[in-house]
């Protein structure tokens, strides 16, 4: 019997897909599934309340960490074999049967890891690793491992010299998939709870080897690891936690001079990676804004020179005024562009178009409010903005071409997406995409079998030919009776890396996927279509809140006279201006809804203290507000209930 232990933390849609794949696995092998939730804040408990009745769910009241949560499940596991599995994985139907058979052939004296790919089909190097040592860590940190990926000396950390297509004895098994006979765990012990996150798999692998057993990398099957976890490899938090775990491992098992030397490397690594992470984060945040600011300033000055040379030769513009005015209007352009969504993830030309129009309107509106003595030329501002738009578009074309910036992964381009699956699944995915506003991207359907129907573009066997023939940028695979998880994984491995991948299963009504091993997974669910989650709508709400508060402040004598409690009213105005509160918030603070500041009024139009409806009714009103958010409704609620704002 096989016991599968999964630790969940805020990845409910990935866990749902994982459990669906395991249901198929248990048609071939006897087993049990134990899921330990580490106090997720994404509504996982309610989400799984009536789902997967055969799964044993344990709900922790706090995040106990990976090791402690696994040990809690291990104490009640009844299997002869234990599989520690990440929730953001998809397992093919015959995978676990093959793994158990391999271990049995080795007289149950081995533990097993497996070949893993990310959501784009790329091999994950952590599938096979060596134990950390000062030199292997130095080669990895210095970049020598990347320069010589097949070297036995420099590439030892990820054992790059071992073929990923063959079974090998290795040192470290990845915690994402770690199958161990129960008798080995009884001998060597379970996870060391001194490791909170990261390093516990290295420690257990070391103790397994030290006890005389072997660790194997198994290449005869393959799983998908979507990387759905919230801690990303490039983040400062990941660097700190990972190298702290490595330090605990070295002090525990090496000791002496070796441990001291390793800790020196660890400290260097932490400072180096922390510095790089901080620089990368700074560039991601201000990089394009800094480039755009330079472009806008240059554009204003170029247009000013041309304007004064060819259009208004008789006008002398004050250099001192322009030195102040141009940066101010540049800042206005950037602020307006930010709120219009220009700097949301993934570049889209339509965002730049909308941002430029918004920025021009804002700039000209502010200009018109200036005293006559401070005005210089509407023409310079208008044509400077247009010229900046042209330059910004050109610069982005080159940055996209050179892969410096990424295009939007969810842009509404026509005919860029194909759905591989049966006709019924195609219709279900179409409905899901239509609700999200992405249905115009669908090019057509690919038949999962070998005989293509007239309504389909072709069959799965000629999918790569279709990708080359049409502008396909994304493929959605539908798991059904004709299209197994194994067949989906085999197809993903053979696909070009530039094509985005998502998987749909009828039992989930959710699309899941990821684009690389360094980014967390993405999902699109019929249960999660909240307009209030959209960054543009959230910024609209903040702007409306701000301008309403500003209006109340500018007209304070009127409100001071009208309001029965003017002090309370203006305290609320002050809190909204400082972004401590919002004018319209939720009646109930439910974790599954998009986060909002505390509201002066609630989605019912009343303050929280005056809501007398049942909890179920309030939940329904909040749900409707989040799904159908419109700032006009906020204005109506504020206007209608003005007397309740204090």
């Amino acid at each position: 019997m096989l016991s599968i232990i999964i630790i969940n933390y805020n990845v409910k849609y990935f866990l749902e897909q994982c459990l669906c794949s395991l249901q198929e696995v248990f048609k071939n092998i006897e087993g049990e599934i134990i899921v330990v939730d580490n106090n997720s804040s994404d509504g996982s408990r309610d989400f799984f309340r009536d789902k997967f009745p055969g799964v044993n769910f344990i709900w922790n009241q706090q995040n106990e960490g990976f090791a402690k949560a696994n040990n809690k499940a291990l104490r009640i596991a009844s299997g002869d074999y234990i599989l520690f599995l990440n929730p953001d994985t998809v397992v093919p139907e015959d995978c676990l049967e093959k793994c158990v058979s391999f271990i049995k052939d080795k007289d149950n004296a081995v533990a097993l890891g497996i070949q893993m790919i990310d959501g784009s089909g790329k091999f994950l190097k952590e599938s096979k690793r060596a134990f950390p040592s000062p030199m292997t860590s130095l080669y990895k940190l210095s970049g020598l491992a990347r320069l010589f990926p097949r070297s036995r000396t420099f590439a030892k950390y990820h054992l790059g010299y071992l073929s990923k297509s063959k079974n090998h004895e290795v040192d470290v098994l990845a915690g994402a998939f770690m199958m161990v006979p129960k008798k080995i765990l009884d001998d060597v012990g379970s996870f060391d709870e001194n490791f909170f996150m990261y390093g516990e798999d290295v420690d257990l692998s070391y103790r397994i080897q030290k006890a005389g057993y072997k660790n194997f990398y198994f290449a005869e099957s393959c799983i998908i690891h979507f990387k759905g976890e919230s801690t990303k490899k490039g983040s400062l938090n990941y660097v700190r936690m990972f190298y702290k775990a490595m330090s605990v491992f070295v002090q525990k098992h090496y000791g002496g001079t070796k441990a001291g030397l390793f800790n020196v490397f660890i400290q260097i690594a932490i400072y180096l990676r922390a510095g790089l992470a901080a620089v990368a984060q700074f560039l991601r945040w201000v990089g394009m804004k800094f480039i755009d600011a330079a472009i806008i300033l240059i554009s204003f000055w170029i247009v000013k020179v041309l304007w004064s040379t060819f259009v208004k030769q008789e006008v002398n513009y004050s250099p001192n005024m322009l030195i102040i005015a141009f940066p101010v209007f540049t800042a206005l352009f950037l602020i307006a562009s930010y709120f219009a969504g220009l700097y949301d993830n993934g570049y889209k030309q339509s965002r730049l178009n909308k941002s430029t129009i918004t920025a021009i309107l804002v700039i000209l509106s502010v200009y018109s409010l200036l005293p006559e003595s401070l005005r210089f030329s509407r023409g310079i501002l208008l044509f400077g903005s247009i010229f900046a738009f042209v330059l910004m578009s050109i610069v982005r074309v080159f940055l996209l071409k050179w892969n410096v910036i990424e295009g939007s992964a969810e842009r509404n381009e026509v005919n860029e997406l194909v759905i591989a699956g049966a006709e019924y699944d195609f219709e279900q995915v179409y409905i899901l995409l239509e609700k999200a506003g992405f249905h115009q991207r669908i090019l057509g359907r690919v038949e999962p079998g070998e005989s293509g129907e007239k309504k389909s573009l072709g069959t799965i066997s000629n999918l790569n030919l279709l990708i080359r023939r049409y502008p396909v940028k994304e493929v959605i695979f539908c798991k059904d009776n004709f299209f197994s998880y194994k067949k989906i994984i085999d197809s993903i491995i053979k696909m070009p890396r530039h094509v985005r991948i998502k998987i749909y299963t009828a039992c989930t009504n959710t699309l899941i996927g990821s684009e690389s091993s360094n980014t967390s997974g993405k999902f699109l669910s019929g249960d999660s279509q909240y307009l209030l989650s959209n960054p543009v709508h959230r910024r609209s709400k903040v702007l409306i809140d701000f301008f309403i508060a500003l209006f109340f402040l500018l007209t304070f004598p009127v409100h001071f006279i009208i309001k029965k409690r003017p002090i309370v009213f203006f305290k609320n105005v002050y809190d909204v201006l400082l972004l401590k509160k919002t004018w319209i918030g939720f009646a109930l603070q439910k974790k599954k809804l998009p986060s909002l500041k505390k509201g002066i009024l609630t989605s019912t139009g009343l303050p929280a203290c005056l809501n007398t409806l049942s909890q179920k009714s309030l939940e329904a009103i909040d749900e409707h507000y989040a799904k159908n958010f419109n700032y006009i409704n906020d204005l109506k609620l504020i206007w209608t209930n003005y007397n309740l704002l204090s």
Side-chain angles (χ1 to χ4, degrees), residues 146-409:
R146 182 173 293 183
L147 288 175
F148 305 100
R150 300 283 182 264
S151 169
R152 286 182 174 271
T153 301
F154 299 127
K156 189 176 180 181
Y157 186 82
H158 285 121
L159 303 174
Y161 52 89
L162 297 180
S163 170
K164 66 181 181 181
S165 304
K166 295 180 180 179
N167 301 335
H168 297 285
E169 185 178 342
V170 295
D171 288 336
V172 178
L173 307 178
F177 184 105
M178 197 173 191
M179 186 179 287
V180 190
K182 183 66 160 55
K183 73 165 194 175
I184 293 181
L185 292 172
D186 291 338
D187 185 12
V188 305
S190 54
F191 287 112
D192 185 342
E193 295 180 10
N194 287 318
F195 296 90
F196 180 81
M197 187 176 182
Y198 306 118
E200 55 279 291
D201 51 355
V202 181
D203 173 72
L204 182 55
S205 297
Y206 185 88
R207 286 187 281 120
I208 289 172
Q209 269 199 12
K210 193 174 181 181
Y213 303 103
K214 294 182 178 180
N215 296 316
F216 267 86
Y217 162 77
F218 187 63
E220 295 173 29
S221 189
C222 180
I223 70 167
I224 301 175
H225 186 197
F226 283 113
K227 299 286 184 169
E229 69 274 5
S230 57
T231 304
K232 300 182 181 70
K233 282 190 174 181
S235 72
L236 197 56
N237 190 45
Y238 168 83
V239 172
R240 181 182 59 82
M241 293 181 70
F242 179 78
Y243 285 108
K244 182 180 179 181
M246 291 300 99
S247 177
V248 172
F249 171 80
V250 170
Q251 289 178 3
K252 177 180 178 180
H253 294 295
Y254 294 164
T257 306
K258 197 171 186 180
L261 182 61
F262 192 85
N263 278 321
V264 170
F265 284 128
I266 285 174
Q267 293 304 317
I268 293 172
I270 290 175
Y271 286 119
L272 179 63
R273 292 292 297 273
L276 291 174
V279 170
Q281 188 173 358
F282 176 78
L283 289 176
R284 279 194 296 270
W285 172 242
V286 305
M288 283 311 302
K289 300 176 186 68
F290 181 82
I291 293 171
D292 288 344
I295 290 173
I296 297 163
L297 275 173
I298 291 170
S299 299
F300 281 154
W301 279 105
I302 290 175
V303 170
K304 178 260 176 186
V305 171
L306 296 174
W307 194 261
S308 59
T309 303
F310 300 105
V311 181
K312 295 283 186 179
Q313 298 96 332
E314 71 281 1
V315 179
N316 291 319
Y317 300 104
S318 168
N320 292 332
M321 184 175 69
L322 295 182
I323 287 172
I324 298 172
F326 282 175
V328 169
F329 283 108
T330 296
L332 283 175
F333 192 111
L334 291 175
I335 292 169
S337 297
Y338 170 76
F339 280 102
L342 177 58
Y343 301 107
D344 289 346
N345 290 336
Y347 166 67
K348 286 168 59 173
Q349 183 63 37
S350 59
R351 284 189 196 146
L352 181 57
N353 300 343
K354 184 175 76 170
S355 300
T356 303
I357 293 171
T358 303
I360 289 174
L361 291 175
V362 169
I363 286 173
L364 293 181
S365 298
V366 171
Y367 180 85
S368 66
L369 296 174
L370 292 175
E372 189 67 36
S373 60
L374 296 179
R375 298 182 188 179
F376 50 95
S377 173
R378 274 191 299 267
I380 292 176
L381 293 177
L382 174 61
F383 290 106
S385 298
I386 294 173
F387 186 49
F389 163 74
V390 174
L391 289 181
M392 287 161 70
S393 298
I394 294 171
V395 167
R396 279 166 167 77
V397 168
F398 283 104
L399 292 179
L400 280 170
K401 186 176 181 180
W402 296 331
N403 296 319
V404 176
I405 62 174
E406 294 182 357
S408 173

Side-chain angles (χ1 to χ4, degrees), residues 339-547:
F339 280 102
L342 177 58
Y343 301 107
D344 289 346
N345 290 336
Y347 166 67
K348 286 168 59 173
Q349 183 63 37
S350 59
R351 284 189 196 146
L352 181 57
N353 300 343
K354 184 175 76 170
S355 300
T356 303
I357 293 171
T358 303
I360 289 174
L361 291 175
V362 169
I363 286 173
L364 293 181
S365 298
V366 171
Y367 180 85
S368 66
L369 296 174
L370 292 175
E372 189 67 36
S373 60
L374 296 179
R375 298 182 188 179
F376 50 95
S377 173
R378 274 191 299 267
I380 292 176
L381 293 177
L382 174 61
F383 290 106
S385 298
I386 294 173
F387 186 49
F389 163 74
V390 174
L391 289 181
M392 287 161 70
S393 298
I394 294 171
V395 167
R396 279 166 167 77
V397 168
F398 283 104
L399 292 179
L400 280 170
K401 186 176 181 180
W402 296 331
N403 296 319
V404 176
I405 62 174
E406 294 182 357
S408 173
E410 297 182 343
R411 47 184 183 268
N412 295 325
E413 295 179 358
V414 177
N415 299 342
E416 66 156 10
L417 180 155
V418 296
I419 300 171
E423 191 167 353
Y424 174 78
D425 292 315
F426 174 86
E427 292 171 357
Q428 297 305 306
V429 173
Y430 185 94
I431 293 170
L432 193 60
L433 292 173
E434 187 176 34
K435 288 181 180 178
F438 300 147
H439 60 288
Q440 292 183 344
R441 296 165 49 199
I442 300 173
L443 174 64
R445 182 174 71 89
V446 174
E447 183 68 31
E450 293 305 318
S451 58
E453 299 179 1
K454 290 183 179 179
K455 294 182 180 179
S456 67
L457 296 171
T459 66
I460 191 66
S461 60
N462 61 6
L463 178 59
N464 283 357
L465 179 62
L466 293 172
I467 291 172
R468 289 195 297 269
R469 180 179 299 170
Y470 300 105
V472 176
K473 295 178 180 147
E474 184 169 336
V475 177
I476 296 175
F477 290 98
C478 302
K479 195 277 167 192
D480 57 24
N481 293 331
F482 306 101
F483 211 179
S484 66
Y485 284 111
K486 184 178 188 307
K487 194 170 183 180
I488 289 173
I489 292 173
D490 290 342
S491 300
I492 291 173
I493 291 173
K494 297 173 185 175
M495 286 181 56
R497 294 287 83 86
H498 72 277
V499 178
R500 299 187 298 272
I501 304 296
K502 285 188 174 68
I503 296 177
Y504 170 82
T505 305
C507 73
T508 66
N509 195 33
T510 302
L511 297 174
I512 63 169
S514 69
E515 295 171 24
S516 78
S517 59
N518 294 323
T519 58
S520 45
K522 299 181 180 180
F523 62 86
L524 176 65
S525 171
D527 300 327
S528 61
Q529 300 307 309
Y530 296 116
L531 286 179
L532 198 53
S533 296
N534 187 298
V536 174
H537 290 298
R538 293 183 70 82
R539 284 195 294 268
S540 298
K541 183 171 176 61
V542 172
L543 274 178
I544 291 298
D545 280 351
F546 179 82
F547 282 117

Side-chain angles (χ1 to χ4, degrees), residues 60-78:
N60 285 339
Q61 297 303 308
Q62 60 184 7
N63 187 349
E64 297 181 348
F66 183 81
K68 192 172 183 179
N70 270 303
N71 290 345
K72 178 180 285 190
L74 184 60
R75 284 192 286 270
I76 62 172
S78 56

Side-chain angles (χ1 to χ4, degrees), residues 613-622:
L613 296 173
S614 67
Q615 180 169 333
K616 190 172 182 180
S617 297
L618 293 175
E619 286 178 358
I621 294 171
D622 282 347

